[in-house]
């Protein structure tokens, strides 16, 4: 037992050196309904490295949520495959955390009890889970609210709790589907810094879906643009900020850098937004 624990760390390290954390290989998806067939995704191939933060942007309906659900193992692709650390994703897994726009907190549970929900479902050691949840809630600025109830919190605070809940089960991959879109713009700015801080310090591989170009640039190492439906990879951009010097600028700092504006106009052109009506 002791030996396997000691050996597992180098084995894990070797694994992530060989395989990207997430490999999406030639994934297509068609939805079939009684109205007919919708091709949502067309031959998507994408890799995400261990510890990398990728933002995924594209017009509404281009298949972003569909792609996250496939990575999460909730939807099966019509063709192609997804691998995490070289192993095919065949269903939901503890290695993958998925956070949605709506926070799905239970109103009758305290913040701490909400945060440990996933751990409880996975029948984990609850003492450890509560310690980890309390620690994460502190890191997300929610340390004073462990014994409050969701209705006592603002939208931004509720999303912080949802993030802590996603991280309590220690997934290697975190999928975020427009997690801030219901929040006002000031709260979004404040929460982005904290969220990036927590996710980077935990070394997670992150895929963030957002329709906010500024948010995509400010939070990520790389921005991936999907075409209109059926979603194909249109382009990818590495977020490099030479004017910042060493280290990674915080999302707030990114918005003050000259590179931010040029990334913004490039991505705006690529999204090809038309106002309808
Ligand atoms: P996005 O998240 O980029 O807005 P989605 O992945 O939700 O896009 O949807 C992609 C396309 O697939 C849309 O045209 C949507 O209407 C369609 N779609 C999504 N879910 C279903 C479903 N369960 N059944 C049929 N069509 C769906
Ligand atoms: Mg969506």
């Amino acid at each position: 037992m002791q030996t396997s624990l000691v050996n597992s760390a180098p084995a894990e390290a070797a694994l992530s050196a060989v395989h990207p954390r997430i490999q999406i290989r030639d994934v297509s998806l068609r939805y079939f309904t009684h109205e007919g067939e919708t091709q949502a995704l067309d031959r998507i191939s994408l890799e995400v490295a261990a510890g990398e933060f990728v933002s995924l942007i594209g017009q509404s309906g281009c298949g972003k949520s569909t792609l996250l659900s496939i990575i999460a193992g909730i939807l099966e692709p019509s063709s192609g495959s997804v691998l995490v650390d070289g192993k095919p994703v065949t269903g939901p897994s503890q290695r993958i955390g998925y956070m949605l726009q709506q926070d799905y907190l239970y109103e009758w549970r305290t913040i701490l009890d909400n945060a440990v929900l996933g751990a409880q479902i996975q029948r984990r050691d609850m003492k450890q889970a509560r310690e980890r949840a309390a620690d994460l809630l502190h890191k997300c600025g929610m340390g004073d609210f462990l014994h409050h109830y969701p209705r006592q919190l603002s939208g931004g605070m509720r999303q912080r709790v949802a993030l802590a809940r996603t991280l309590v089960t220690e997934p290697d991959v975190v999928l975020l589907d427009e997690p801030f879109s219901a929040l006002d713009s000031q709260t979004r700015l404040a929460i982005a810094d904290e969220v990036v801080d927590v996710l980077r310090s935990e070394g997670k591989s992150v895929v963030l879906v957002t329709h906010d170009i500024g948010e995509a640039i400010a939070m990520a190492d790389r921005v991936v643009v999907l075409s209109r439906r059926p979603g194909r990879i249109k382009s990818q951009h590495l977020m490099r900020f030479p004017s910042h010097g060493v280290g990674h600028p915080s999302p707030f700092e990114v918005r003050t850098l000259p590179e931010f504006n040029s990334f913004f106009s490039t991505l705006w052109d690529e999204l090809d937004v038309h106002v309808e009506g």
Side-chain angles (χ1 to χ4, degrees):
M1 189 64 186
Q2 197 65 30
T3 328
S4 72
L5 274 180
V6 171
N7 284 339
S8 67
E12 281 270 304
L15 203 65
S16 60
V18 177
H19 301 287
R21 180 126 279 163
I22 312 172
Q23 282 173 288
I24 302 169
R25 290 181 172 170
D26 227 17
V27 161
S28 297
L29 187 128
R30 281 184 215 96
Y31 286 109
F32 295 96
T33 61
H34 54 269
E35 280 112 39
E37 183 185 319
T38 306
Q39 173 137 27
L41 295 172
D42 185 26
R43 284 168 295 148
I44 302 273
S45 291
L46 181 68
E47 296 187 346
V48 181
E52 192 183 15
F53 198 126
V54 169
S55 293
L56 188 61
I57 60 174
Q59 300 263 319
S60 176
C62 76
K64 302 179 297 295
S65 297
T66 301
L67 186 58
L68 282 201
S69 295
I70 291 172
I71 302 171
I74 293 167
L75 265 181
E76 201 183 328
S78 308
S79 60
S81 57
V82 176
L83 295 93
V84 170
D85 287 334
K87 291 190 211 98
V89 172
T90 53
S93 134
Q94 296 181 13
R95 309 205 54 193
I96 301 167
Y98 196 3
M99 182 178 153
L100 305 167
Q101 177 184 346
Q102 217 190 324
D103 58 48
Y104 297 106
L105 299 181
Y106 289 115
E107 296 298 333
W108 61 89
R109 291 186 137 211
T110 65
I111 296 315
L112 186 60
D113 286 343
N114 265 290
V116 296
L117 194 65
Q120 201 174 353
I121 292 167
Q122 293 178 6
R123 298 178 186 282
R124 294 195 168 214
D125 178 324
M126 288 313 288
K127 185 168 175 287
Q128 266 179 24
R130 291 177 84 82
E131 277 167 18
R132 179 159 164 75
D135 180 47
L136 281 163
L137 287 164
H138 273 103
K139 281 191 192 152
C140 298
M142 293 299 297
D144 292 337
F145 298 90
L146 302 189
H147 305 292
H148 284 57
Y149 286 87
R151 73 182 123 75
Q152 297 171 288
L153 307 186
S154 66
M157 293 161 100
R158 293 174 67 112
Q159 284 303 74
R160 290 179 172 96
V161 178
L163 178 73
R165 181 178 58 193
T166 306
L167 296 178
V168 166
T169 51
E170 298 178 278
D172 296 318
V173 171
V174 176
L175 307 174
L176 305 169
D177 196 352
E178 310 216 16
F180 316 122
S181 55
L183 308 177
D184 65 76
S185 55
Q186 264 98 307
T187 306
R188 289 169 81 119
L189 287 181
I191 205 174
D193 271 25
E194 288 171 7
V195 166
V196 164
D197 210 32
V198 172
L199 290 170
R200 284 200 194 281
S201 70
E202 298 240 328
K204 304 299 183 195
S205 299
V206 184
V207 182
L208 166 75
V209 164
T210 173
H211 59 253
D212 183 326
I213 299 175
E215 193 168 274
I217 298 167
M219 294 180 79
D221 299 309
R222 182 156 49 113
V223 176
V224 174
V225 185
L226 288 190
S227 68
R228 285 164 186 274
R229 199 185 74 210
R232 299 190 183 102
I233 296 207
K234 186 167 183 182
S235 63
Q236 305 196 39
H237 304 264
L238 285 177
M239 297 293 106
R240 296 274 190 264
F241 302 98
S243 69
H244 178 69
V246 247
H248 211 290
S250 74
F252 193 86
E253 286 169 332
V254 168
R255 290 173 189 269
T256 67
L257 299 173
E259 294 90 344
F260 178 80
N261 291 327
S262 82
F263 282 132
F264 195 100
S265 51
T266 305
L267 292 169
W268 176 261
D269 288 344
E270 290 199 352
L271 270 186
D272 195 21
V273 183
H274 298 293
V275 180
E276 284 164 23

